[in-house]
Amino acid sequence: MLALLALASFAVSAQEWRYRVRPGDTVWDLSAKYVRSDIPWQKLQAHNAVPDPYRLPPGSLMRFPVAWLKQQPAKAQVLAVEGSVQAQAGRAAKSIAVAEGMRLGIGTRLRTAKGASLTLQFVDGSRLLLQGDSELVLDKLTAYGATGMADTRVRLARGRISNAVKRMRGPASRFIVETPSTMSSVRGTEFRIGSDEQGSQAEVLEGSVAVSGGGRQLVLKPGQGTASGADNRPAAVSLLLPAPESASLKLQAGRLVWAPVAGAQRYRGQVSASADFLTLAVDEISDAPSIALPPLANGDYHLRVRAIDGHGIEGFDATAAARISVQPPFAIAPAQGETSRVDRPRFRWASTGEGVRYRVQLASDPGFATLLFDQEGLQKTELRAAQPLAPGEYYWRVAAVDAAGQTSAFNDGVRFGVAPADGPALERDANADKNTLTVRWPEGGPGQRYRFQLSRKADFSRLEVDRELDTNQISLPDLRSGTWYARTQVIDSDGYAEPFGPAQSVKLGCRPCTIAAIGGGAVLLLLAL
């Protein structure tokens, strides 16, 4: 690689950039615009054998040695960014979050999280898409004054990039991509580069790319690719697999599906809100001709799929457009900020139509990075938590998948809490008979029923009363004097029996007696659910 770079540097020094003279041009004007300040304009006049510096024939060619041209550091601009992308200006610098419109200089190291992506535009208009879970270093960004020539060199430490490189304008123009095992040099093309622990891959869609490594060099033409292994040598040229049939690309039942391709070992499926795929809302590898999609916001999307051969070389793209117009359901319960006294709360949401299925997620963080469950394909508009939740704060959200397979975005995450049930409150009824016990508790929601138990024993090992009720109170006359223990349980409309509330004691048989250490003869017992 060093030898190739040295040869390239020598070639540039010996090459010339040519300019076609326009009316009104003079030697000193052209020298001031394009030539370094330490090169006198008389050298440009002598180099081009111009007899009269005041008069340059329009249409004639002026030759500028590349070594004389002005050079200045260039910047790469972030055209678009999706997800978490960090930029580090130097090894000792602090990483910062990348935002659209940022201008990044030489030495910047970019890292994309899984599922993230961004597109850079270089000074000559070339573009680079950095995909998820990748790392890229901007090694050299140089512009040659006003000539339009640029020398761009990037290093892909890991991951994948797709490039649309402008056709090179002049001999000093370069676009070079290095990986840990290969170097690829291009002069105007569309190509992709991948790098992982097993090696590197290169695929050319348009133009040509020179790939070198391990003492070997290949020139890839359109429709060709190569892969390198542990020896860093690019293998023999492979033909790219054909694109899947574009007509087969569609969204179906929450998945992106397409027709299989002969010879494909895997596939890459992508979804973008941009026709140019400036960022990727979805970028997944699949062994089968389909991938599961996360819920996406309503809008127009662009689909892209390619087949991957046994060497990891990715083929031609199939593209299609799709529109998502499914509305996310309204969350009903638990509501925002609500505290549940049940350790297995029931999640309920509004219906969005016939034939719609739903997806519900529960997390312990507002970003839903730590999912406690992710239930798909639900036909009903409610779901009981399968496992008890410890007291604490939680977040839940729901999305819809219509009969055509289009998936809505999730609704905004709903924050709620789970807390232990409060003990029941007691109230004395001074007007009741001394051996009558009236028990009442807060009324529940629609469709809920109740179970009431009364026992002489605190552990309820022997029940005197065990009844299911439609109302939130019970009156029990003619009870024997002494201490009784009562508790209630809510039975939800889906049949789920919530845990019993804490037991409450009461003494019957005398007016001066107390309720739960204070008591009353006949009492009104308020049980908080």
Side-chain angles (χ1 to χ4, degrees), residues 470-528:
D470 293 327
T471 60
N472 61 320
Q473 75 173 38
I474 187 173
S475 185
L476 302 169
D478 302 324
L479 292 179
R480 300 188 304 276
S481 299
T483 301
W484 293 87
Y485 299 90
R487 66 182 183 181
T488 58
Q489 178 186 55
V490 173
I491 303 174
D492 223 330
S493 59
D494 62 352
Y496 172 70
E498 298 178 4
F500 278 102
Q504 185 72 53
S505 66
V506 60
K507 289 184 179 180
L508 296 180
C510 61
R511 290 286 180 185
C513 292
T514 60
I515 299 174
I518 299 176
V523 300
L524 178 66
L525 177 61
L526 297 178
L527 298 180

Side-chain angles (χ1 to χ4, degrees), residues 173-196:
S173 295
R174 295 285 184 274
F175 195 99
I176 295 174
V177 179
E178 292 187 56
T179 71
S181 57
T182 62
M183 182 176 73
S184 300
S185 178
V186 304
R187 290 186 61 81
T189 187
E190 290 188 19
F191 71 105
R192 314 186 204 105
I193 297 290
S195 179
D196 54 31

Side-chain angles (χ1 to χ4, degrees), residues 216-499:
R216 183 180 188 184
Q217 183 176 23
L218 292 177
V219 177
L220 301 179
K221 300 297 184 182
Q224 296 180 341
T226 188
S228 65
D231 61 358
N232 296 340
R233 290 169 57 85
V237 172
S238 298
L239 296 179
L240 302 187
L241 289 175
E245 296 178 10
S246 293
S248 70
L249 269 67
K250 57 185 177 180
L251 303 181
Q252 180 176 304
R255 304 184 72 85
L256 170 60
V257 300
W258 59 90
V261 174
Q265 300 297 307
R266 294 183 298 166
Y267 300 89
R268 182 183 293 275
Q270 298 174 330
V271 178
S272 176
S274 164
D276 296 330
F277 287 82
L278 296 181
T279 58
L280 302 174
V282 177
D283 183 16
E284 296 290 342
I285 297 288
S286 173
D287 294 333
S290 71
I291 58 172
L293 296 177
L296 300 170
N298 291 340
D300 293 320
Y301 290 91
H302 301 270
L303 318 177
R304 185 163 68 184
V305 173
R306 63 183 76 115
I308 306 174
D309 67 16
H311 302 291
I313 298 172
E314 303 189 2
F316 284 104
D317 293 321
T319 58
R323 172 170 290 181
I324 294 177
S325 56
V326 184
Q327 296 294 327
F330 294 115
I332 297 176
Q336 180 72 25
E338 182 180 335
T339 297
S340 172
R341 302 293 177 182
V342 181
D343 60 359
R344 287 182 58 199
R346 182 168 58 157
F347 303 94
R348 295 188 296 119
W349 55 92
S351 171
T352 58
E354 294 292 331
V356 177
R357 294 177 183 268
Y358 303 96
R359 180 179 181 182
V360 176
Q361 291 183 339
L362 177 70
S364 58
D365 63 285
F368 288 81
T370 306
L371 291 178
L372 302 178
F373 66 69
D374 186 0
Q375 296 285 330
E376 300 182 72
L378 302 172
Q379 298 182 28
K380 296 182 178 181
T381 55
E382 61 180 46
L383 175 68
R384 175 74 63 182
Q387 301 295 330
L389 302 179
E393 190 171 78
Y394 298 91
Y395 300 82
W396 77 281
R397 62 185 183 180
V398 59
V401 181
D402 69 11
Q406 292 193 351
T407 305
S408 78
F410 280 111
N411 63 335
D412 293 337
V414 177
R415 176 180 56 82
F416 73 100
V418 172
D422 291 335
L426 295 178
E427 180 181 303
R428 180 176 180 177
D429 184 356
N431 297 319
D433 295 337
K434 66 179 181 178
N435 291 106
T436 296
L437 177 66
T438 298
V439 180
R440 186 167 64 243
W441 51 92
E443 186 176 5
Q448 287 185 332
R449 304 181 73 249
Y450 315 95
R451 185 178 183 184
F452 173 80
Q453 291 182 342
L454 187 70
S455 176
R456 282 288 196 183
K457 296 182 177 294
D459 62 359
F460 290 81
S461 58
R462 179 179 176 181
L463 297 176
E464 299 290 338
V465 177
D466 186 6
R467 297 182 189 175
E468 287 191 14
L469 306 165
D470 293 327
T471 60
N472 61 320
Q473 75 173 38
I474 187 173
S475 185
L476 302 169
D478 302 324
L479 292 179
R480 300 188 304 276
S481 299
T483 301
W484 293 87
Y485 299 90
R487 66 182 183 181
T488 58
Q489 178 186 55
V490 173
I491 303 174
D492 223 330
S493 59
D494 62 352
Y496 172 70
E498 298 178 4

Side-chain angles (χ1 to χ4, degrees), residues 17-340:
W17 175 68
R18 297 187 177 188
Y19 171 84
R20 191 167 296 278
V21 174
R22 299 175 182 178
D25 284 339
T26 64
V27 171
W28 51 83
D29 287 339
L30 295 179
S31 178
K33 185 174 183 179
Y34 297 110
V35 179
R36 296 184 349 237
S37 59
D38 60 328
I39 306 293
W41 64 266
Q42 290 87 351
K43 291 190 67 174
L44 182 62
Q45 178 185 4
H47 185 75
N48 286 272
V50 174
D52 185 352
Y54 295 96
R55 296 182 180 179
L56 294 176
S60 61
L61 290 177
M62 289 284 288
R63 297 176 293 111
F64 294 75
V66 169
W68 294 2
L69 294 173
K70 292 179 179 179
Q71 297 182 35
Q72 66 270 353
K75 298 278 189 179
Q77 184 176 6
V78 179
L79 287 187
V81 61
E82 176 86 18
S84 175
V85 182
Q86 296 289 313
Q88 188 177 14
R91 291 192 177 275
K94 183 179 180 181
S95 293
I96 60 172
V98 174
E100 182 177 330
M102 274 187 175
R103 298 177 66 82
L104 307 175
I106 298 171
T108 300
R109 183 179 296 268
L110 293 165
R111 298 182 180 91
T112 56
K114 181 176 174 57
S117 58
L118 88 159
T119 290
L120 297 176
Q121 180 165 287
F122 299 98
V123 66
D124 65 347
S126 297
R127 292 183 178 182
L128 179 152
L129 170 65
L130 183 64
Q131 295 172 213
D133 196 19
S134 299
E135 184 174 345
L136 182 80
V137 181
L138 306 180
D139 275 341
K140 185 175 183 180
L141 303 173
T142 299
Y144 285 85
T147 66
M149 293 188 295
D151 189 349
T152 302
R153 305 184 188 193
V154 299
R155 178 160 35 96
L156 181 65
R158 58 182 174 83
R160 282 193 70 87
I161 57 174
S162 297
N163 308 273
V165 179
K166 293 289 187 180
R167 194 162 298 280
M168 301 288 101
R169 299 177 57 183
S173 295
R174 295 285 184 274
F175 195 99
I176 295 174
V177 179
E178 292 187 56
T179 71
S181 57
T182 62
M183 182 176 73
S184 300
S185 178
V186 304
R187 290 186 61 81
T189 187
E190 290 188 19
F191 71 105
R192 314 186 204 105
I193 297 290
S195 179
D196 54 31
E197 295 177 354
Q198 284 69 47
S200 299
Q201 307 85 35
E203 305 119 23
V204 178
L205 306 177
E206 180 183 306
S208 62
V209 174
V211 181
S212 58
R216 183 180 188 184
Q217 183 176 23
L218 292 177
V219 177
L220 301 179
K221 300 297 184 182
Q224 296 180 341
T226 188
S228 65
D231 61 358
N232 296 340
R233 290 169 57 85
V237 172
S238 298
L239 296 179
L240 302 187
L241 289 175
E245 296 178 10
S246 293
S248 70
L249 269 67
K250 57 185 177 180
L251 303 181
Q252 180 176 304
R255 304 184 72 85
L256 170 60
V257 300
W258 59 90
V261 174
Q265 300 297 307
R266 294 183 298 166
Y267 300 89
R268 182 183 293 275
Q270 298 174 330
V271 178
S272 176
S274 164
D276 296 330
F277 287 82
L278 296 181
T279 58
L280 302 174
V282 177
D283 183 16
E284 296 290 342
I285 297 288
S286 173
D287 294 333
S290 71
I291 58 172
L293 296 177
L296 300 170
N298 291 340
D300 293 320
Y301 290 91
H302 301 270
L303 318 177
R304 185 163 68 184
V305 173
R306 63 183 76 115
I308 306 174
D309 67 16
H311 302 291
I313 298 172
E314 303 189 2
F316 284 104
D317 293 321
T319 58
R323 172 170 290 181
I324 294 177
S325 56
V326 184
Q327 296 294 327
F330 294 115
I332 297 176
Q336 180 72 25
E338 182 180 335
T339 297
S340 172

